[in-house]
Amino acid sequence: MTIKSVIIQCLDLIFPRRLTCYFCEEELPPHNTSALCEHCVDEIVRLDGHQCMKCGRTIEIAYAQHADYYFKCKECQEKFTFFSKHRSFGEYSGHLKMAIMGLKYKKQIYQAQFFGEQLAMMIEKDEALLDFDIIVPVPIHLTRRMMRGYNQAERIAFYLAKTLNANPPEELLVRTRHTKKLKNLNKASRKAMLENAIIVKRYKKNRVKGQKILLVDDIYTTGATLDACSKALYEAGCDQINCITVARGV
Ligand SMILES: [Zn+2]
Ligand SMILES: [Zn+2]
């Protein structure tokens, strides 16, 4: 038994799984792996229709009939990013939003298992996303991690890897600055705030070289955080980066 698996078992004891659905309080069947009942899972707005090939933005119906596999949204046509492709499981609204907030702010660590399993099912159907060597979670700053007790992206990535039977995620990145919460900032301010705030750990640089990375985070808002991570990984010599997140801000 590795030290990491002991720590994970301890975390499960400290943050036990609920036996009722977080949203509607309905009793869940025994051995249920989700924090949500079937009804609440069904209510999640999935993002699996016509999408921008790069960022995964849903394409409006008016344009969808002209959109092929290579269709890029206006923003992706105009903007360079260091990552090749991004996909989200669902829309950051309603029950899914509440579940992510539960994971981040209410110590509902069990939500990460549901998210990890859903992301695994999603990428199993996507050859490009499945083509990775290392799963890397987006880092949070050490002080935030100490306050929260865990990095929610690492927990999601852990269950993603477990479901895929892949190697456990590797925390290759670190936040050097405690950036303010980004959610109220515009795109330019987010970019400035993140400039050099995320780097590859010095002793992990050799690990990155020539590797295909799958970056994992909880929320995609403007893509600025994923791009800052991708930039650091590219500068350390990685070969390719794709990203997945649980939810996309609308
Ligand atoms: Zn429910
Ligand atoms: Zn796009």
Side-chain angles (χ1 to χ4, degrees):
M1 188 179 275
T2 63
I3 292 173
K4 197 160 186 175
S5 64
V6 172
I7 293 168
I8 288 157
Q9 285 187 14
C10 290
L11 278 173
D12 284 344
L13 283 175
I14 300 166
F15 307 109
R17 294 166 63 82
R18 286 169 65 100
L19 298 174
T20 55
C21 174
Y22 170 52
F23 301 124
C24 67
E25 298 294 325
E26 187 178 302
E27 201 170 312
L28 296 173
H31 312 299
N32 187 70
T33 56
S34 166
L36 310 179
C37 71
E38 276 182 28
H39 174 72
C40 290
V41 170
D42 286 346
E43 277 192 353
I44 293 167
V45 182
R46 314 274 171 137
L47 299 175
D48 52 7
H50 285 287
Q51 292 168 291
C52 165
M53 67 167 284
K54 188 171 186 183
C55 75
R57 184 189 304 274
T58 301
I59 299 165
E60 288 173 35
I61 292 170
Y63 297 102
Q65 58 183 315
H66 307 296
D68 59 16
Y69 180 77
Y70 299 102
F71 186 89
K72 276 189 191 172
C73 72
K74 191 167 175 283
E75 199 176 308
C76 287
Q77 285 174 31
E78 292 168 355
K79 187 181 75 173
F80 171 80
T81 57
F82 287 89
F83 59 83
S84 308
K85 182 174 184 177
H86 162 263
R87 287 292 181 268
S88 276
F89 164 64
E91 190 179 286
Y92 188 58
S93 62
H95 288 164
L96 186 57
K97 180 176 177 176
M98 286 170 69
I100 291 173
M101 288 174 79
L103 172 62
K104 284 174 86 166
Y105 305 116
K106 296 181 183 170
K107 305 223 181 292
Q108 290 165 357
I109 199 166
Y110 51 76
Q111 306 275 18
Q113 182 169 354
F114 169 71
F115 297 149
E117 287 165 356
Q118 298 303 315
L119 290 181
M121 281 194 268
M122 195 177 94
I123 73 169
E124 271 175 338
K125 298 177 208 148
D126 190 315
E127 266 180 46
L129 294 181
L130 212 46
D131 184 21
F132 65 84
D133 300 309
I134 313 175
I135 298 177
V136 178
V138 167
I140 57 174
H141 192 264
L142 189 61
T143 50
R144 190 165 288 168
R145 186 181 187 132
M146 283 168 72
M147 281 160 60
R148 193 169 290 166
Y150 51 87
N151 170 6
Q152 71 281 358
E154 189 280 331
R155 291 288 77 210
I156 296 164
F158 171 82
Y159 286 109
L160 165 70
K162 196 175 169 189
T163 312
L164 289 174
N165 256 333
N167 290 327
E170 296 184 36
E171 296 186 82
L172 304 179
L173 297 165
V174 64
R175 273 191 201 244
T176 56
R177 287 203 307 271
H178 187 59
T179 49
K180 285 184 200 162
K181 286 190 174 144
L182 300 175
K183 62 184 173 190
N184 298 321
L185 299 177
N186 64 27
K187 276 179 203 170
S189 307
R190 277 169 189 253
K191 200 162 183 263
M193 184 74 77
L194 287 163
E195 201 67 46
N196 301 318
I198 298 172
I199 58 168
V200 175
K201 291 176 183 172
R202 205 184 311 162
Y203 63 96
K204 293 284 189 185
K205 284 196 171 164
N206 281 340
R207 179 75 183 106
V208 174
K209 283 197 175 70
Q211 299 296 296
K212 294 174 185 167
I213 308 279
L214 181 65
L215 259 178
V216 181
D217 205 2
D218 51 355
I219 307 165
Y220 179 102
T221 309
T222 63
T225 303
L226 289 172
D227 206 34
C229 293
S230 304
K231 181 172 183 273
L233 289 162
Y234 259 116
E235 285 172 355
C238 87
D239 193 40
Q240 170 189 292
I241 301 167
N242 287 315
C243 312
I244 48 164
T245 55
V246 177
R248 183 183 184 113
V250 285

